[in-house]
Amino acid sequence: MNEPQKEWINKSIITEINERNVMWTEQQNNPEREELREKFITKRHKIIKLIRETKKSYYKKEFDKYSGKPKKLWNLLNTLTNNKFKQRCAPPKLIVNSIEVTDPHEICNIFNNFFATIGPYLADEIPIQFHVNYTHALPKPLLQNLQMNSLEPCTEEEILNIINKLDSNSSVGLDGVSTKVF
């Protein structure tokens, strides 16, 4: 008899599987006997149901055990799904300017350099008219409503409503002030 491979496999499942295997062998040796085939199919369905119920019960107990403990729950999920985090995150090789690079530190430096310089490079590629006059990039209907000839007075309540609608988890604006300060 084989020992359990998974935590949810128990002695009754193994016993049922062994009985089913004996029935299968018997049925294969006597293919003309329909009653053996039917007994085998019935046993097979019984084992499938037993395995499903046992697995369901096992996983429910495991999840209930870590209810309210997210870190342990994620560890459980990673264990159950066989998620293995790889030590190395760099690709094994990288080809840059027809040169193959295999040193992980050098590959990381190449990626770092690329992402550190791509922003200014792309900004330089934007046509100059957009730097000088951003209205070229705006749709025409929006331009017509952009006139700010006069500012109307507002109430303290309007300002408070606007502040209360701000997302406190958003990053700071151009002024460097966090919305949490407001």
Side-chain angles (χ1 to χ4, degrees):
M1 183 183 327
N2 294 334
E3 288 300 312
Q5 300 295 312
K6 303 276 186 189
E7 295 84 1
W8 50 265
I9 297 178
N10 57 35
K11 296 251 185 226
S12 66
I13 290 176
I14 292 174
T15 303
E16 292 288 335
I17 288 173
N18 287 334
E19 288 176 14
R20 180 208 57 201
N21 292 345
V22 168
M23 293 173 109
W24 182 82
T25 305
E26 195 175 330
Q27 192 255 331
Q28 290 297 310
N29 291 335
N30 301 297
E32 70 285 343
R33 294 184 57 193
E34 188 62 31
E35 77 277 359
L36 290 178
R37 183 178 172 282
E38 288 176 17
K39 282 175 72 174
F40 167 74
I41 290 172
T42 304
K43 178 64 92 173
R44 184 179 63 192
H45 289 303
K46 179 182 177 186
I47 292 172
I48 290 170
K49 185 177 179 183
L50 177 64
I51 288 173
R52 282 183 185 150
E53 289 171 356
T54 306
K55 275 173 97 172
K56 183 179 177 181
S57 173
Y58 169 77
Y59 289 131
K60 182 171 180 1
K61 283 179 195 171
E62 289 295 304
F63 284 112
D64 287 346
K65 190 187 325 181
Y66 298 118
S67 176
K69 299 173 186 171
K71 185 171 183 169
K72 289 186 177 188
L73 188 60
W74 276 111
N75 287 337
L76 173 66
L77 283 170
N78 287 325
T79 302
L80 294 175
T81 58
N82 292 324
N83 265 353
K84 303 283 188 260
F85 294 103
K86 295 179 181 173
Q87 295 284 335
R88 294 179 53 183
C89 61
K93 69 178 182 176
L94 189 66
I95 298 175
V96 180
N97 299 329
S98 302
I99 299 170
E100 186 175 296
V101 180
T102 56
D103 177 34
H105 294 290
E106 186 62 29
I107 291 171
C108 288
N109 285 334
I110 291 168
F111 274 112
N112 185 43
N113 184 49
F114 172 80
F115 287 111
T117 59
I118 191 67
Y121 170 78
L122 291 175
D124 289 342
E125 294 296 309
I126 298 173
I128 193 71
Q129 75 237 23
F130 292 120
H131 289 290
V132 176
N133 187 356
Y134 66 90
T135 58
H136 291 291
L138 296 175
K140 297 291 183 221
L142 185 59
L143 283 175
Q144 293 166 354
N145 297 331
L146 252 175
Q147 298 172 359
M148 291 185 62
N149 296 337
S150 65
L151 293 175
E152 296 193 20
C154 59
T155 65
E156 187 177 324
E157 187 178 321
E158 287 176 311
I159 300 293
L160 288 174
N161 279 339
I162 292 170
I163 291 172
N164 287 333
K165 289 180 184 176
L166 293 175
D167 182 6
S168 63
N169 294 321
S170 62
S171 59
V172 298
L174 293 175
D175 56 4
V177 179
S178 168
T179 55
K180 290 180 182 178
V181 172
F182 291 117

